Amino acid sequence: MGKSVAVLAVHGMGSQGAKRPAYTSIPTFSKDLKRLVTAEINRTKKSRFQNNVAWREVFWADILQDRQNNYFNRINSRTRGIRLRRFLVKNISDAAAYRQDHNANTYQKIHQRIDEALKDFDNDKEVDKEGRLIILAHSLGGHIMSNYLYDLQKTGSTRLGTFYSTKTTMAFVTFGCNIPLFTFAYNPADVMPIRRPGTTLKDTKYYLTNWWQNFYDKDDVLGYPLGEISPGYEALKNKGELSDKSINAGGFLTSWNLLSHNAYWKDADFYRPVARLIDKAIDPA
């Protein structure tokens, strides 16, 4: 019998290392989160995580990173405010570059990385064909995954594969999410959230009411609650399908400032609820 839970981790804006890993199964940016979640789940039973969970990453930073580095190197000696400029060039420009544009294919390239990771789950013989999918998306990654699922639902795609079709999605977890920043060009009445992607879990013990769980830190200026975006999001929240959870991410030096944005990955206020969710996906009994 194969593993019953597939976890897909998606990073947000910023540098994620020198280069893309050779395989989606090699943890990089989510390594600490995976380690902490593993330890938390294994407290109930030895090797419970390893025996039941497959973990993969969507690594997309390299699509833009070389261009950002090359530009920064060219202007570095001619500008001041180096540290702030580095932050802006390597972080904010990710959000600016990710858009649907006929002349730029960054949007499509990033979505192709998601395709690859989901197909890897389907091709992995260690994962059950009907295994539950949990998506963990940080920062801009939440906006990216929301768009990805929205596009999939809009086209009514009949994709083959349990995970490539996202039909067994049990939960969508966003943290440090900045979806609201991409909505102000539209009338709020026209801003609609995605529908529940897990279509085959209804009437099973794995069906969650709050399938979209959003975590944010009040001091994280790049992380926001989502229920107030529009009437559509508010309705989703009122039905209990979307939950906004305020946590205090980071330690003494990071929890009260912008650095809290990258602190979720190792913070107990985040990894413990994630561990409980994955444990429930293994067996809610």
Side-chain angles (χ1 to χ4, degrees), residues 163 226 269:
F163 303 105
L226 305 180
D269 284 353

Side-chain angles (χ1 to χ4, degrees), residues 9 30 45 47 69 78 96 109 145 149 161 168 171 205 219 227 230:
S30 69
K45 186 177 180 181
S47 299
N69 288 338
R78 299 169 52 206
K109 283 185 176 180
M145 278 307 308
L149 293 168
T168 63
K205 58 184 179 181
D219 296 305
S230 69

Side-chain angles (χ1 to χ4, degrees), residues 13 92 95 143 177-185 221-224 229:
M13 60 184 68
I92 305 304
H143 178 54
C177 182
N178 32 63
I179 286 177
L181 303 183
F182 300 90
T183 65
F184 300 127
V221 298
L222 292 174
Y224 293 85
I229 290 177

Side-chain angles (χ1 to χ4, degrees), residues 66 96 146 202:
D66 283 346
S146 177
K202 192 174 182 179

